[in-house]
Amino acid sequence: MSIQADVCMIVHNDVYHDGRVLREAASLAKDGLSVVIVGLTLNNSQIKEINTAGFKIITPYNTLFENRINNVTGRIRLLLQLVITFPMISYHIRNIKARVYHAHDFTALLHLAILGMWNRPIVYDSHELFFDRPLTGIPGPIEWAIKQLRPLEKALARRTLASITVGDSIADRLSQTLDIPRPVVVRNTVDLRNMGESGADFEANGRRVMVHTGHLASGRHLPELVHALIY
């Protein structure tokens, strides 16, 4: 039996640690829209369906070749999981009859195109400049193949209903490179109004404390950022 929804979000991660996706879904639900998120779980659990904050999260996971996948690390592991789980994710996306499909990043936009759904109302949410980021931990031939898909992003983005991104500079660049109207900027900020007590207590002796929020990964130049603070 198909699921009826106002918005179907597609994101190729486990959703539960993606604050941006969760905040956007909660905001839409607060406005009275029904939202279903289809994600990709990275742990050893079976299919999950969770209703939270007024929206539903579905995260399929295929246990086939599970042990072999877990022996691989980094982006290669994610790529293998995506390939193996692709049919299950696709089944759930097709099973959701939504008014609008919300594609998080180029991978989700490409997923909808592969399913032949490019004529549906789609919002493209670009979390970053997908083809300008460092692809660490990926073999050269695979990295080369990924880079060849850059023109496809432009072709698909121009068919979307609207686009969203995380900052002004990225919005300007996407508008130029994809030849689309300037994306709406929805920043990755923390809503301090909803924060409880801090999970960590720093003894700063009156000095200012700077906190990095987000995923710690190679290629994001955090050592250079710290070094630059002396200037």
Side-chain angles (χ1 to χ4, degrees):
M1 184 176 179
S2 62
I3 300 174
Q4 302 294 323
D6 291 310
V7 180
C8 173
M9 291 186 171
I10 301 95
V11 56
H12 289 163
N13 61 35
D14 64 0
V15 183
Y16 307 104
H17 299 96
D18 196 321
R20 176 181 182 82
V21 175
L22 295 175
R23 284 193 298 271
E24 289 180 342
S27 178
L28 292 171
K30 187 177 180 180
D31 283 343
L33 298 177
S34 58
V35 181
V36 179
I37 306 175
V38 180
L40 167 65
T41 184
L42 302 181
N43 55 35
N44 297 337
S45 60
Q46 296 287 344
I47 296 174
K48 293 181 179 179
E49 290 194 21
I50 296 178
N51 291 282
T52 178
F55 56 88
K56 175 180 286 189
I57 300 174
I58 301 175
T59 53
Y61 181 81
N62 194 333
T63 57
L64 185 66
F65 304 129
E66 182 178 284
N67 292 333
R68 295 183 183 181
I69 290 177
N70 289 335
N71 290 331
V72 182
T73 59
R75 294 182 185 271
I76 296 298
R77 178 172 179 254
L78 175 60
L79 184 61
L80 286 173
Q81 286 179 316
L82 179 57
V83 170
I84 293 174
T85 314
F86 188 86
M88 297 177 64
I89 301 174
S90 300
Y91 167 80
H92 285 284
I93 294 174
R94 286 189 174 280
N95 195 46
I96 299 169
K97 308 303 179 184
R99 292 169 53 196
V100 175
Y101 293 84
H102 187 141
H104 287 277
D105 266 328
F106 171 72
T107 53
L109 187 63
L110 179 61
H111 197 153
L112 289 173
I114 293 173
L115 295 181
M117 302 174 67
W118 55 76
N119 289 324
R120 308 287 180 88
I122 296 173
V123 172
Y124 180 30
D125 194 335
S126 181
H127 295 192
E128 56 192 335
L129 295 173
F130 186 84
F131 290 99
D132 292 329
R133 60 184 181 157
L135 298 177
T136 55
I138 291 183
I142 296 179
E143 180 179 356
W144 178 87
I146 292 175
K147 295 293 186 182
Q148 304 314 302
L149 297 176
R150 182 187 287 266
L152 187 56
E153 181 188 28
K154 179 177 181 179
L156 295 177
R158 295 185 65 184
R159 304 181 72 141
T160 59
L161 185 68
S163 56
I164 305 172
T165 194
V166 297
D168 290 310
S169 60
I170 294 181
D172 291 337
R173 179 164 173 81
L174 288 173
S175 178
Q176 295 170 359
T177 58
L178 302 182
D179 192 22
I180 58 175
R182 190 176 188 272
V184 174
V185 174
V186 178
R187 302 185 187 279
N188 287 339
T189 55
V190 177
D191 189 349
L192 297 179
R193 297 171 301 177
N194 299 324
M195 295 285 286
E197 293 186 5
S198 174
D201 186 17
F202 297 95
E203 183 56 54
N205 297 321
R207 295 174 297 172
R208 292 182 178 180
V209 176
M210 181 176 291
V211 178
H212 167 78
T213 62
H215 182 53
L216 293 175
S218 60
R220 296 195 173 188
H221 301 288
L222 291 179
E224 290 85 351
L225 178 62
V226 173
H227 181 71
L229 293 177
I230 65 175
Y231 301 104

